Amino acid sequence: MTLKDHLTAMIRASGPMDVAEFMRLCLLHPTLGYYTTRTPFGVKGDFTTAPEISQMFGELIGLALAQTWMDQGAPARFSLVELGPGNGTLMADLMRATRHVPGFHTAAELYLLEASEPLKVRQKAALEAYNPQWPTSLDALPDQPVFLIANEFFDALPVQQFLRDGCGWRVRQVGLDGQDLRFGYGPLGAQPALAHRLEDTKDGDLVELRPAAAQFMAPLAARVENDGGAALIFDYGDWRSLGDTLQALQNHAPVDPLQDPGLADLTAHVDFEALVHDLPCTHSRLTTQGVFLERLGITVRAQALAQMLLDPARKTHIAAHRRLTHPDEMGALFKVIGLVPNGTQMLPGLEP
Ligand code: SAH
């Protein structure tokens, strides 16, 4: 049975499902979901992420977090957390880059939040030396400072989509047209969570909400504010999102999200305004990935690495530097936001 058969049977039995439920099943259905059945990254996979492009990404993030850990008095014990670590590459680069920071590794307890069993196996292989644990939620973390990273995690959490209709909204759904899956809209209703979007939208506009994000942001921000620490959240998106950003990728090319459910990666842009709305701790300004990495000195690091490489590895490395930072590549579409406790020094590269 394919996921498409399963979704078709569900819709026949109980009617159209909203886009968030469709996205959740496509990505995380226990036996037919994209993340639960596949290992998606890399040249042979469906998409490539920043840590898979260059080791410099994880190295610079590691040094930024270690600096903030020192700025906060180098607490003797802290949770080092990654949300959705994929192959474990970013964390492995982060750990290698921080091994000479006195006390940092001894103080760090590594926690990985991961929904996919095949990816947990990969993470174990990459990070075994650091004794990682896989908690089921951020609420399970011990009472101590938390230093957290997330790259391309929030874009994989399901979004609800709403179409503006007068002063109300219609939820976007996935239903059936004969044998085929089709988008449609539910009945008109009020959406208190979208009150602020009545100002900047008009009839026919589509907006997105990501209710699952709060399950991670609320406990994270409370922990950072009360016990100390910091978070660096990278993703593609903007301060506020408008329009349909649901996107399916297969073999590095966009495909129709309804075409092969469970076989393509599904993401939607991150609305950073919604992500940091009403948090108890401080957040930085939303900054582009390119500017952030340049401020942390990626060019100097890239030149030092280039001197140790011969072609063709050198050429690949130079292309990787460009890919991470150039505005025409990932440099401008991808953004980063930082969290620290109120009244403490902002993370390097994100200072006002
Ligand atoms: N950070 C990695 C991988 C990004 S892909 C990188 O940059 O390469 C998204 C990751 O989030 C995958 O590891 C996926 O399995 C995980 N994921 C998606 N939804 C999740 C959820 N609800 N809970 C935990 N992990 C999830």
Side-chain angles (χ1 to χ4, degrees):
M1 166 133 136
T2 66
L3 185 61
K4 189 170 173 193
D5 296 336
H6 178 67
L7 295 172
T8 305
M10 281 180 78
I11 295 168
R12 287 230 160 88
S14 25
M17 62 179 71
D18 72 17
V19 167
E21 177 67 356
F22 171 76
M23 198 172 164
R24 192 183 67 76
L25 290 167
C26 286
L27 293 177
L28 294 178
H29 183 282
T31 55
L32 302 167
Y34 180 74
Y35 282 119
T36 37
T37 56
R38 330 190 112 216
T39 43
F41 321 100
V43 185
K44 286 208 199 108
D46 293 308
F47 61 102
T48 315
T49 57
E52 303 294 335
I53 290 171
S54 169
Q55 66 185 70
M56 295 186 291
F57 188 71
E59 289 173 351
L60 292 169
I61 291 171
L63 296 175
L65 280 191
Q67 179 63 52
T68 300
W69 173 74
M70 290 188 281
D71 289 343
Q72 294 185 14
R77 217 113 205 73
F78 72 92
S79 306
L80 178 58
V81 184
E82 182 166 1
L83 302 179
N87 291 337
T89 310
L90 196 169
M91 188 55 81
D93 292 337
L94 179 160
M95 293 306 273
R96 196 184 56 257
T98 52
R99 71 193 183 284
H100 298 308
V101 177
F104 188 74
H105 279 206
T106 322
E109 280 172 24
L110 186 55
Y111 294 98
L112 308 173
L113 260 93
E114 177 54 65
S116 152
E117 292 307 321
L119 287 177
K120 280 185 195 173
V121 173
R122 294 205 169 195
Q123 292 158 19
K124 192 163 189 204
L127 299 166
E128 201 152 31
Y130 309 111
N131 286 319
Q133 299 174 58
W134 286 266
T136 50
S137 89
L138 287 180
D139 299 305
L141 295 181
D143 292 334
Q144 58 192 21
V146 60
F147 287 80
L148 176 143
I149 50 165
N151 184 58
E152 291 208 48
F153 172 75
F154 286 98
D155 68 7
L157 297 183
V159 286
Q160 295 175 321
Q161 296 185 315
F162 295 94
L163 184 75
R164 173 91 186 259
D165 183 346
C167 288
W169 303 90
R170 293 179 188 275
V171 68
R172 196 172 188 216
Q173 299 173 320
V174 176
L176 286 175
D177 178 6
Q179 305 291 317
D180 295 330
L181 298 173
R182 278 276 186 280
F183 284 116
Y185 294 94
L188 189 63
Q191 284 301 332
L194 288 174
H196 66 299
R197 301 307 302 263
L198 289 173
E199 301 153 19
D200 72 324
T201 57
K202 53 183 189 326
D203 248 11
D205 279 349
L206 194 133
V207 298
E208 297 172 336
L209 286 177
R210 188 175 257 119
Q215 291 164 21
F216 299 92
M217 293 307 290
L220 165 64
R223 184 69 73 195
V224 166
E225 182 58 21
N226 297 330
D227 297 332
L232 271 175
I233 298 168
F234 293 83
D235 229 308
Y236 71 123
D238 221 321
W239 181 244
R240 193 178 268 207
S241 78
L242 180 63
D244 171 20
T245 74
L246 188 68
Q247 171 182 304
L249 270 189
Q250 214 171 0
N251 301 322
H252 300 268
V255 294
D256 175 354
L258 301 182
Q259 183 185 303
D260 279 323
L263 302 180
D265 183 44
L266 265 190
T267 59
H269 282 202
V270 171
D271 179 326
F272 282 91
E273 180 187 40
L275 205 63
V276 300
H277 179 68
D278 240 359
L279 297 184
C281 62
T282 297
H283 64 81
S284 72
R285 254 202 306 184
L286 187 62
T287 304
T288 64
Q289 176 173 298
V291 165
F292 174 72
L293 293 174
E294 290 298 348
R295 285 184 186 156
L296 293 185
I298 194 169
T299 299
V300 176
R301 178 71 184 133
Q303 283 162 354
L305 281 173
Q307 293 200 332
M308 298 188 273
L309 296 172
L310 296 172
D311 284 338
R314 197 176 139 278
K315 283 212 172 75
T316 310
H317 164 69
I318 291 168
H321 174 207
R322 185 186 145 91
R323 211 163 151 200
L324 288 181
T325 55
H326 198 279
D328 291 343
E329 305 229 19
M330 296 173 83
L333 175 61
F334 279 77
K335 311 284 193 313
V336 54
I337 204 159
L339 305 182
V340 291
N342 275 302
T344 65
Q345 170 79 25
M346 185 41 76
L347 289 138
L350 295 176
E351 299 96 340

